[in-house]
């Protein structure tokens, strides 16, 4: 464990408690205005795809655009925000007649309406695969109705829009296949100011200590929601063997996970913490030496974002991850993390432990991680990219580059036709 990163729990209050009038004033702060719409604020999709976007625009002096957010309870005041906006971005919102009327009002005004989505949750052809991946019950009518209804309602709103915004090229490809009349532009997930400031403070404490670790090696699994049982099963047998061989190793779990099968014999060496707010999650992540991000390798997981890499990276914790699309584009194996195919987990975990034992090697990789994610996912560097994605500003897009991250593998993912997919929410 990194003792230098140990701090008291952070006092946390959700930073999106503003009332309607304050949010409306924020919308009109600059000449060009974006109204974001989301069903109800939360710490996952809303935080990354709405709140962080508006804050990044507000912080960017190069932008002439302000943004604010609205929710289902504001729909009786649609005219007040839609009529003041120059673009409407609807984030992961299910169809209702009131939402359709909001879209109709925006289109009658001639402003662009875009759909922002961060998961493959809009095409009913993939609903069964996603349910299976997330370890949901596919045998009951109620569960099937819930999931297929959600996908259908999200897809209906998506198809009503003029364009889409998403997190990566793999998901953009699926959006355009589902709604061929749309173009999907990419704005990746990134930090917010408070998250980044706390994380950098934790990283600097570790750096100043020379990444000194105590006599235990903590492997962190930050599972979030209770839908990752099948993901953890990818690594569990190898992880159990690593714990057999490494008596100093401890597994830290934050979120929902019930250790079973091969891991059951190591129950006493598993630390479990409840779900955390996004600030205290960084605190607990900073203490561990190794973060693991195992995933099943299918179309749904290849469409997910890379936040399970960049959230640990900014606190100086290295990641071992399944090489799905976004991880293999953000992690260069052996440089700023480790990639592990299903048969490689035991070897790669031992490699990570060797890094912990050699502080110089660990420090080199941690510093690579930190500098990469600070450049690529820094909270105040996306204003111009957001403007270009929403307004399609060719001059803006050409004149000021977006974030400096360049994908290491820009080839499109080979996609299996929907009819051949096996039968096989947001925190990734």
């Amino acid at each position: 464990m990194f003792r230098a990163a140990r701090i008291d729990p952070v006092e946390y209050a959700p930073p999106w408690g503003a009332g309607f009038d304050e949010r409306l004033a924020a919308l009109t702060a600059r000449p060009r205005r974006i109204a974001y719409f989301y069903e109800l604020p939360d710490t996952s999709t809303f935080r990354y795809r709405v709140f962080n976007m508006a804050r990044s625009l507000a912080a960017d002096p190069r932008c002439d655009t302000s943004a604010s957010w609205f929710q289902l309870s504001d729909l009786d005041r649609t005219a007040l925000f839609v009529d003041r906006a120059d673009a409407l971005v609807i984030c992961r919102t299910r169809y209702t007649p009131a939402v359709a009327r909001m879209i109709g009002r925006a289109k009658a005004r001639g402003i662009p309406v875009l759909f922002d989505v961060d998961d493959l949750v809009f095409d009913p052809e993939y609903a069964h695969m996603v349910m299976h991946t997330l370890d949901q019950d596919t045998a009951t009518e109620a569960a099937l109705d819930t999931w297929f209804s959600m996908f259908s309602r999200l897809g209906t709103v998506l198809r009503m829009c003029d364009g889409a915004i998403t997190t990566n090229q793999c998901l953009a490809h699926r959006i355009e296949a589902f709604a061929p009349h749309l173009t999907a532009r990419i704005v990746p997930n990134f930090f917010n100011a408070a998250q980044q400031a706390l994380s950098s403070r934790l990283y600097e404490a570790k750096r100043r200590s020379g990444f000194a670790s105590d006599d235990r090696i903590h492997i962190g699994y930050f599972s979030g929601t209770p839908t990752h049982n099948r993901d953890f099963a990818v690594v569990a047998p190898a992880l159990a063997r690593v714990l057999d061989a490494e008596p100093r190793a401890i597994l830290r779990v934050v979120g929902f996970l019930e250790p079973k099968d091969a891991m059951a014999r190591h129950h006493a060496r598993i630390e479990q913490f409840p779900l955390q707010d996004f600030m205290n999650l960084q605190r607990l992540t900073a203490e561990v030496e190794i973060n693991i991000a195992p995933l099943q390798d299918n179309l749904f997981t290849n469409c997910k974002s890379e936040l399970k890499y960049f959230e640990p990276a900014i606190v100086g914790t290295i990641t071992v991850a399944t090489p799905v699309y976004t991880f293999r584009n953000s992690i260069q194996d052996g440089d700023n993390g480790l990639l592990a195919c299903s048969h490689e987990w035991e070897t790669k975990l031992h490699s990570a432990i060797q890094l912990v034992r050699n502080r110089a090697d660990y420090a080199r990789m941690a510093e690579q991680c930190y500098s990469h994610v600070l450049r690529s996912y820094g909270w105040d560097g996306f204003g111009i990219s957001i403007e270009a994605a929403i307004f399609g500003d060719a001059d803006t897009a050409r004149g000021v580059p977006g974030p400096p991250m360049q994908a290491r593998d820009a080839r499109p993912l080979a996609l299996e036709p929907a009819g051949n997919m096996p039968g096989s929410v947001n925190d990734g």
Side-chain angles (χ1 to χ4, degrees):
M1 176 185 289
F2 289 115
R3 295 288 180 185
R6 298 205 76 177
I7 62 172
D8 291 334
V10 177
E11 188 174 341
Y12 170 82
W16 39 77
F20 181 84
D21 291 341
E22 186 178 346
R23 288 182 277 118
L24 189 63
L27 174 67
T28 59
R30 286 178 175 171
R32 191 162 60 169
R33 302 154 181 183
I34 303 168
Y36 282 91
F37 188 88
Y38 189 75
E39 293 183 10
L40 185 68
D42 59 36
T43 60
S44 55
T45 294
F46 171 81
R47 172 165 58 98
Y48 273 113
R49 305 308 298 169
V50 176
F51 181 79
N52 289 5
M53 301 287 171
R55 287 297 178 91
S56 188
L57 281 164
D60 197 330
R62 302 171 297 172
C63 298
D64 65 353
T65 302
S66 54
S68 191
W69 58 268
F70 304 92
Q71 59 186 348
L72 288 175
S73 61
D74 299 324
L75 280 173
D76 59 347
R77 295 175 281 188
T78 295
L80 293 177
F81 60 89
V82 170
D83 290 0
R84 288 170 169 80
D86 297 295
L88 175 65
V89 180
I90 301 173
C91 181
R92 200 165 167 161
T93 294
R94 292 167 290 184
Y95 174 86
T96 68
V99 169
R101 286 193 293 271
M102 176 178 64
I103 294 171
R105 188 177 190 97
K107 289 194 171 188
R109 290 195 59 239
I111 66 173
V113 181
L114 298 103
F115 192 81
D116 190 300
V117 66
D118 55 353
D119 265 324
L120 181 58
V121 291
F122 48 82
D123 186 344
E125 287 196 54
Y126 299 108
H128 189 272
M129 179 195 70
V130 173
M131 290 179 69
H132 182 81
T133 302
L134 299 179
D135 201 21
Q136 300 297 299
D137 184 359
T138 60
T140 66
E141 291 292 322
L144 291 168
D145 284 348
T146 296
W147 284 85
F148 276 80
S149 170
M150 181 185 73
F151 275 58
S152 180
R153 291 173 67 190
L154 289 168
T156 296
V157 177
L158 170 59
R159 282 177 164 160
M160 294 174 70
C161 293
D162 304 311
I165 303 170
T166 192
T167 54
N168 63 75
Q169 189 61 52
C170 181
L171 189 51
H173 183 98
R174 295 316 316 157
I175 291 169
E176 292 175 351
F178 175 74
H181 65 292
L182 301 184
T183 296
R185 297 190 175 101
I186 296 168
V187 179
N189 287 334
F190 53 85
F191 302 108
N192 62 52
Q195 182 187 30
Q196 182 170 317
L198 174 66
S199 299
S200 292
R201 179 158 65 92
L202 292 165
Y203 168 80
E204 286 299 331
K206 291 163 72 170
R207 186 188 62 80
R208 287 193 300 270
S209 76
F211 292 89
S213 183
D214 66 13
D215 61 347
R216 296 177 298 167
I217 298 173
H218 276 71
I219 299 169
Y221 181 63
F222 303 98
S223 61
T225 63
T227 57
H228 291 282
N229 294 332
R230 292 181 183 273
D231 289 329
F232 187 75
V234 171
V235 71
L239 180 57
R241 291 192 296 272
V242 168
L243 291 177
D244 289 338
E246 298 286 349
R248 294 172 54 201
I250 303 290
L251 175 64
R252 170 174 290 187
V253 175
V254 177
F256 298 91
L257 183 72
E258 182 180 348
K260 53 187 178 181
D261 300 329
M263 289 300 299
R265 65 180 181 269
H266 294 298
H267 185 82
R269 293 165 65 190
I270 300 175
E271 299 178 350
Q272 292 198 273
F273 292 82
L275 276 175
Q276 302 288 307
D277 61 77
F278 66 88
M279 297 289 282
N280 283 292
L281 180 63
Q282 294 303 96
R283 176 179 63 86
L284 292 177
T285 304
E287 293 177 358
V288 310
E289 290 87 352
I290 302 163
N291 168 60
I292 57 173
L295 289 170
Q296 301 156 83
D297 193 349
N298 60 32
L299 186 55
F300 174 66
T301 58
N302 274 275
C303 287
K304 296 189 76 65
S305 84
E306 61 271 61
L307 64 86
K308 292 298 183 187
Y309 155 68
F310 69 70
E311 287 180 341
I314 199 171
V315 294
T317 294
I318 66 170
T319 291
V320 186
T322 298
V324 294
Y325 183 82
T326 50
F327 286 150
R328 72 171 182 262
N329 277 275
S330 55
I331 297 174
Q332 185 173 0
D333 190 38
D335 178 25
N336 62 329
L338 297 169
L339 296 173
C341 294
S342 59
H343 62 282
E344 297 178 314
W345 273 100
E346 187 172 357
T347 299
K348 291 302 180 78
L349 286 171
H350 281 299
S351 296
I353 288 170
Q354 285 302 114
L355 285 170
V356 176
R357 289 176 172 147
N358 187 323
R359 290 185 190 177
D361 288 345
Y362 190 100
R364 176 193 60 77
M365 184 174 287
E367 288 163 5
Q368 285 283 96
C369 293
Y370 179 79
S371 61
H372 172 230
V373 300
L374 204 62
R375 292 192 315 270
S376 301
Y377 308 98
W379 78 277
D380 56 352
F382 280 88
I384 292 294
S385 298
I386 296 166
E387 284 186 328
I390 292 174
F391 295 108
D393 295 349
D395 291 340
T396 298
R398 284 196 301 268
V400 182
M405 179 185 66
Q406 297 296 325
R408 293 186 172 91
D409 178 7
R411 296 169 296 173
L413 182 74
L415 300 174
E416 188 172 4
N420 294 332
M421 290 302 300
S424 314
V425 153
N426 176 284
D427 51 12

